[in-house]
Every structure is written in C-alpha cells, then in structure tokens.
Amino acid sequence: MAENELLSERVAGGILPRVLTTFDMVAIFVSIVLFITNAAVIQSAGPAAFGWWIIAFALFLVPCAIVTGQLGAMFPGEGSIYLWTTKAFGPFWGFFAGFCAWWPGVLVMVATGTLTISFLGYVFPGLGALPVPAQGGLIVVILLLAAVLAVLRFRLTQNVVNVVFLAYGLAILLMFVAGIARLAAGHPAATDPWDFAAWSPSAEHGLNFANWSFFGLAVLALLGVEVPLNMGVEIRQERAVTRYLLWGSLAVMVAYLVATWGVMVSVPAGEAANITSVAEAVGIGLGDWAGKLVALVLAAMFFIITVVYNYSFARLIFVSGLDRRLPKAVSHVNAHKVPDVAVWIQTALAGIFTVVAFMVVPFTAARPADAQTEVYNVLQAAVTVIWCLSIVVLFVDVLIILRRYRDQFEARRLASPAVFWVASVVGALASLVGVVATLSGSWTPLISNDAGKVTLFGAEIAYGMWFWLVGGIALASLLVGALLYLVGRRAPA
C-alpha cells in the first residue's frame, strides 16, 4: 500500500460496483439533507424564519459544500469524513469523527419512521390515534421494510429512490402553489411573510440571542452535505462530486424557502409548527384531497429517506470493518455487493432505540401526536449536537490535508487556499454556535427548558428538561463511540 493509504481505499473499489450518476447523487443529497418538515417547525420563529434560513445557508451550507467538494475531489474513496479525518489526524480521530457522523444516522432513522407514521396518521386519523407503544411497533416494521429494500441490488433500490424523489419535488412545489392559491382567492396571509420588521433584533421573535435556537434548527436542516460521499467509490464519474454539491445545495435552499412561505401564508400561526402542517397548507390552499395526497407522498418519501440513511451510513461502518476498526464481519457484502451486515446492525440499533423511546420512556404528552413531536424534536436536536461536532472536525480536516498533501491539492485544486480557510473558520464557528443554540432552547413547547440559566459569551443558555434530554443523548453517544474504538481494536482480524 502507498504511504498513509487505508486498506479500505485499496479494496473497496473492487468490492462495490460503480453505479451512481450525478442525478443519483442529487437525489441522495436531497434525501439526506432536505427534511421538509423543518419548514413547519421553524414557523415558531415567525417571519424571521427566512432570516435564519439565509444566515444558515451563508454560514453553514455553503462552507460545507466548498470544503466537501475539495476533499471529495482529492480523496473520493468510501467513507467521506472517516477517510478524511484519518488522513488528517490518524486512526482514532478518524474512527471517532466517523462515529459522530454515523450515529446520528441511526437516530434519524427513528425520526423518519416517526414522520412516516405522522403523515399516514394525517390521512388515516385512526392510525395517528394509536397508543404510543403501538406506534413504536409500527416504526420497527418500517425500519425492517426499509432494511429489506436497502440490501437489494443497489441500482434497483436507487431507481425507487429517484422516482419518489421526483414526487417529493412536486409535493414541495404544491406547498408553494397552495399559498399562491390561498392569496389569489382573496384570503389574507395567516402570517405576513413580508414583515421584515420582525427580523429586527429588538422584535420579540427577531434575529437575536433569545431566539438563536432557531439557528440550531436551521443548521440541523442542512446537515449531511458530505454523506453522499460515504459511497465515493460507487460514483461513475468524478465530476458528479462537485455537480451534486452545486445542484443539491440549490435545490435544498429553494425548497426550504418556498415551503416555509407556503406554510406561513396558509396555516394559522397556532398550528403552523406542527410537523404535518406542510401537508395541511396544501389542504387549505388546494383542497383536502390535495393535502392528503401530499401527505401520502411525504409518508412515502420519509420511508425512502429511511432507506437512504440506512444504505449510505452503512458504508461508514463497512469501511471501518475493512480497516479492522470494527470486527471483520461488519464488512461483509451480500450477493448484490451491498454491505448487508452493516445495514442490519443499524436496523437493529434503530429498532432498540425505538422500543426504548416509545415503549420504555414515560411520556408527559396527553396525545399520541404530541408524543411523536416530543420524540422527533429530541432526537433531531441530539443529532444536531453530535453531527455538528463531526462537522467541526471536517472543517479542520481540510486545512490539515491541504498542507500535508500539497501535490494532490494542486492536481485537483478547486479554489485558492484562502477560500478554504475562510470557509473552514466560518463553518466551524457556525457549527459550534449550532451546538450551543440547540442546547439552549427547546424546539417544542411540549418540553420545558426553564429550570435554570447560565451566561456564556453574553448569551443565556437554559438548562431544563430539554437540555438534559438532548445533552444526555449526545454525551452518551460520544462515550459509546470512544468505547467502540477500544473494543474494535481488540477484535480478532
């Protein structure tokens, strides 16, 4: 092997087939990053939601895309951040950064199962009214079905993903059209999206530290830029790396803005933050049948997102198995050349977490729908904290790698080193702010965060139930990651 070359770099390309096109990569990118329900959750920010979106696009999404593009061009192997951090800092930090990027994928699979049930419940109210443990059981079934699809021939699975992705785009367009139809019919906007005075730091819901938890939410909504490159050796053409980042980022930005506008215009403020209000907006503007049709499309999409998360994050532990950071069995592939053991490990972990979240942990929510919201928001917030920490490492990686691998950088240089320094500093700071902002304020009124407050850099950080739930899950996850590395090193080759 060449100096510093991982075993996975040398052999993964001979194990896994090259099947992914630029369109496939865009579909995967959108599936990973674009949770359109965030256009509903952020409604609590009022018209300032658009300000938070723009700030997050500029300070987080664009820097992530710039850095990921350069690293992907230089080292397009399997495993993305696991590979790049190993190049920069060695095996422990490579594994740990990979774990911090991988574990959120398992948690998100529980959240996507929750969303699938939520949108099916919008169409079939009896399903949404099931007891919380029964809903947990349904989510386990969804996880199992998603795993079955994830271990089929990759080209077949990706074709299914692409079809549902196109329907997803049409559903989001209908959210915007519904808002236009609502206004054209002579109805006033439920909330005025053009109220720029609401952006003022002095406004109650303005762009200020009292509301900066919405920045954490916006950062969450943009996490995952690097994930499609978990499958780096499965891409047919190198140019797909930069193309998916460009077109995928543009699609995500437009989708969040138009969906946020559609919900804000159509849905009364008191209901707009419910995760199903993206479908309700269509029902209000275009008719109940249209809202239910969109809800069915969204249910299908969140099921497919579960599939995409499973097969894309499975590649992270697949390469860890190849490099003997985890037991060799994790690197097994089935007859379709898909890392099946990794997929089933993730499914089992997500299933266990579902059982704990829905059947063991007691809920204070009076309604099953509220319990769904509690689970969804806590898991997504914990994902934000863990994933943002891994993204901080990503921004440091590029600076180390540009210096250490000068020849590779000059051969595949996308921009001046100054561009990457600016992107890294801005992006890393935005990631850290996203962590603090997420811990400081609850995303849902169902979970309090008012037990006490501390002041950090002039900003007040609350530490009530929200802080302990989200912070506890994040801290426990990081400890597990370090422990897994130690156990994996002792595993037999």
Side-chain angles (χ1 to χ4, degrees):
M1 285 190 291
E3 184 181 2
N4 295 326
E5 184 182 34
L6 295 172
L7 178 62
S8 58
E9 286 184 89
R10 185 162 57 90
V11 305
I15 298 173
L16 305 174
R18 293 183 179 270
V19 298
L20 295 174
T21 65
T22 298
F23 186 84
D24 296 329
M25 293 294 284
V26 171
I28 293 169
F29 178 95
V30 171
S31 299
I32 294 291
V33 177
L34 181 59
F35 277 48
I36 205 61
T37 46
N38 290 314
V41 180
I42 205 170
Q43 295 292 326
S44 297
F50 295 101
W52 291 117
W53 280 133
I54 293 169
I55 292 171
F57 294 157
L59 300 185
F60 186 77
L61 179 62
V62 172
C64 277
I66 291 172
V67 167
T68 299
Q70 184 61 62
L71 290 172
M74 290 176 65
F75 298 107
E78 205 82 348
S80 67
I81 194 170
Y82 160 81
L83 169 62
W84 304 328
T85 307
T86 301
K87 293 284 187 185
F89 292 104
F92 171 75
W93 289 110
F95 179 86
F96 191 71
F99 176 85
C100 290
W102 167 76
W103 180 241
V106 176
L107 297 182
V108 172
M109 286 165 59
V110 181
T112 53
T114 303
L115 290 172
T116 304
I117 296 296
S118 296
F119 284 105
L120 288 175
Y122 181 86
V123 181
F124 309 105
L127 183 63
L130 287 174
V132 174
Q135 292 186 18
L138 287 176
I139 292 172
V140 171
V141 172
I142 289 170
L143 292 171
L144 292 172
L145 292 175
V148 170
L149 186 54
V151 298
L152 298 179
R153 186 167 57 88
F154 195 18
R155 184 66 261 167
L156 172 63
T157 301
Q158 191 58 45
N159 288 341
V160 176
V161 171
N162 292 349
V163 170
V164 181
F165 159 69
L166 292 174
Y168 190 37
L170 291 174
I172 293 170
L173 179 61
L174 284 178
M175 296 170 199
F176 181 64
V177 172
I180 295 175
R182 178 77 175 168
L183 297 178
H187 300 286
T191 300
D192 182 7
W194 310 114
D195 181 12
F196 295 111
W199 294 30
S200 170
S202 61
E204 181 183 0
H205 297 293
L207 303 175
N208 55 49
F209 281 122
N211 299 307
W212 71 334
S213 63
F214 291 112
F215 177 74
L217 174 61
V219 166
L220 161 70
L222 302 172
L223 285 166
V225 172
E226 82 290 352
V227 172
L229 289 178
N230 287 352
M231 297 167 286
V233 302
E234 298 167 76
I235 302 172
R236 288 183 182 176
Q237 297 177 319
E238 289 184 10
R239 61 184 181 179
V241 172
T242 51
R243 286 185 173 184
Y244 96 77
L245 288 165
L246 172 62
W247 294 112
S249 297
L250 289 174
V252 165
M253 288 189 281
V254 170
Y256 275 133
L257 291 175
V258 301
T260 300
W261 185 89
V263 174
M264 193 172 293
V265 165
S266 303
V267 184
E271 304 172 15
N274 295 331
I275 54 180
T276 55
S277 67
V278 286
E280 184 182 351
V282 179
I284 291 172
L286 300 177
D288 185 59
W289 67 271
K292 289 185 176 180
L293 177 61
V294 165
L296 287 174
V297 170
L298 294 179
M301 186 61 198
F302 282 109
F303 169 74
I304 286 299
I305 289 174
T306 310
V307 176
V308 174
Y309 264 81
N310 207 337
Y311 71 56
S312 57
F313 282 82
R315 268 60 176 183
L316 280 173
I317 55 175
F318 164 74
V319 293
S320 292
L322 287 178
D323 293 327
R324 302 301 183 264
R325 312 284 191 253
L326 291 174
K328 182 180 178 181
V330 177
S331 62
H332 180 270
V333 296
N334 63 14
H336 303 299
K337 297 185 177 180
V338 172
D340 57 332
V341 171
V343 166
W344 288 111
I345 287 174
Q346 292 179 159
T347 303
L349 289 171
I352 292 169
F353 205 94
T354 299
V355 170
V356 171
F358 283 83
M359 303 179 190
V360 177
V361 176
F363 285 96
T364 59
R367 301 182 305 154
D370 289 343
Q372 293 170 1
T373 302
E374 287 184 356
V375 172
Y376 174 77
N377 281 285
V378 168
L379 290 182
Q380 291 293 77
V383 162
T384 303
V385 172
I386 303 166
W387 212 338
C388 276
L389 292 175
S390 76
I391 295 302
V392 172
V393 176
L394 177 72
F395 285 120
V396 177
D397 283 347
V398 71
L399 301 180
I400 302 298
I401 284 175
L402 293 189
R403 185 182 64 183
R404 184 171 295 174
Y405 300 92
R406 292 180 183 273
D407 292 341
Q408 290 95 322
F409 171 61
E410 291 299 332
R412 301 192 177 185
R413 176 172 171 166
L414 300 181
S416 165
V419 172
F420 300 108
W421 272 97
V422 172
S424 295
V425 171
V426 170
L429 289 174
S431 301
L432 291 172
V433 169
V435 170
V436 178
T438 299
L439 292 171
S440 71
S442 176
W443 292 351
T444 171
L446 297 172
I447 303 175
S448 172
N449 205 40
D450 296 330
K453 294 182 179 180
V454 294
T455 300
L456 181 64
F457 302 122
E460 286 190 336
I461 302 174
Y463 54 91
M465 180 60 71
W466 172 266
F467 176 90
W468 295 114
L469 284 173
V470 174
I473 292 173
L475 179 60
S477 299
L478 296 177
L479 292 175
V480 168
L483 180 62
L484 277 177
Y485 178 80
L486 297 175
V487 171
R489 290 186 66 189
R490 290 167 172 75

